[in-house]
Amino acid sequence: MKKEIKVVVTGAAGQIGYSLIPRLVDGNTFGNKTVNLSLVEIPQVVSKLEGLAMELEDSYFPNLGSINYTDNFSEASRDADWFLLVGSIPRGIVYNGKKIEERSDLLQINGGIFVEQGKAIGEFGNQNAKVLVVGNPANTNALIGRAAANNPSQNWMAMTMLDANRAKSMLAKKLTCNVSEIKKMIIWGNHSPTMYPDYENALLNNQSVSKLVNDEDWIDSKFIPSVQQRGKAVIDARGASSATSAAKAALDTVYACENETESGNCFSAAVYSDGAYDVPKGIMCGFPLMTTSSGEIEIVRDLNLSEKARSRLDVSIAELLSEKEAVKDLLTE
Ligand code: NAX
C-alpha cells in the first residue's frame, strides 16, 4: 500500500478550492497517507496560491507533504494519483472580449481547456490515476478530457455527489432520520437540471424510500425539482454558487473511491457509459457505482428502473448526446 499520494487540484484559488484543499490533508480523506499537493491556477492568479500554501503550512496538518503551485498543468500532472479538476470558466464572465452566456460557448471554451488537461493526464499522470471533474459542464468536460487522455487504465468521473447529498438531506428531513441512514441515493444522467434523483432505489433501513415517503405529489412537485434546482437556489440565497458543499461532495467522492463500498450501498458519480442500463455508449452519465475490495470502481448493474425513472433518464441522456454533438470537434480520441 502506497504511503504517499499526489493530488492535483485545478481552480485552486477559487472558492471551492479554498474549502476543499485543507480537507484533502486533514487525515480523513486519504487516511494516514502523506498528501503531496500540486495546485494549479491560471497565470493571472497563480501567485495567490502562495498565500494558500502559507495557510496550509500554518494549519498543523501532520499528513501534509509537499505543496507545489504552478500555472503549468503538464508539470503539475507528473506521476499524480488523483486529479480534482475544479477550475473552469463560469457562465456570465467576459472571456476574450465576449460575455459567455450560451451553454454552447461555455462548452467550447471549457472543452478546449479539458483537451489540454486530458492530454497531460494521459501522458504524465499515473497509469491508474483517478480524475474527478467538478468544473461545469462537468459531464461533457470529463468526456472531452477522457478522450484526449486516451489512457483506458485511468478512471475519469464527473461529480454528481453534491446532487446526491442534497437529495439525501431532503429525504432525511422528510423521513426524520439522519442523512447517513439514506443508502443507494443515485443521481442518473447529467449534472444539470435534467438529472434524475432516484428515490425509488434509495433505501432507509433496507426499505424503499419511495414506499416510506408514500407521497408522489411531494416527490414530483417538491423533491425532484428542488434537487434539480438546488444550485440556483443557493446562488439566489448566497449571491455565489455552492462552495463548501461542493468541496465536501468532492471529498466524499474521493473517499468513496478510496474505500471499499459497504455491502447494500452504492455511490453516485458520472462515468463513461459502456451501455449499462441501455445508456448509449460514449457519454459520461450518472450511474450507481461501487468500489471493490481490490479498489476497482464499477457500475452497479442490478438496480431496476421504473418507467417513470426511464423516461426521466432519457431526457438527461438526450441532453448529454446534444452536448456531445456540440463538442464533437474536441473529441480527439
Ligand atoms: P471560482 O470562480 O471561485 O474558481 C474557479 C477557479 O478556477 C478560478 O480561480 C479560476 O482562475 C480557475 N481556473 C479557470 N480556468 C482554469 C484552468 N484552465 N486551470 C486552472 N484553473 C483555472 O469557482 P468555484 O465556485 O470554485 O467553482 C468551480 C467550478 O465548479 C465551476 O465550473 C462551477 O460551475 C463548478 N461547480 C460544480 C458543481 C458540481 O456539482 N459538479 C457544483 C458547484 C460548482 O457550481
Side-chain angles (χ1 to χ4, degrees), residues 264-283:
N265 206 355
C266 46
F267 68 95
S268 206
V271 294
Y272 192 73
S273 172
D274 60 2
Y277 295 95
D278 288 330
V279 172
K281 289 181 186 171
I283 52 174

Side-chain angles (χ1 to χ4, degrees), residues 10-11 13-17 40-42 45 86-89 113 117 134-136 138 159 162 191 241-242 246:
T10 66
Q15 52 156 3
I16 293 177
V40 187
E41 260 296 345
I42 54 173
V45 287
V86 181
S88 69
I89 303 294
I113 293 169
Q117 294 184 347
V134 176
N136 279 319
M159 188 165 92
L162 177 55
H191 169 67
S241 58
S242 309

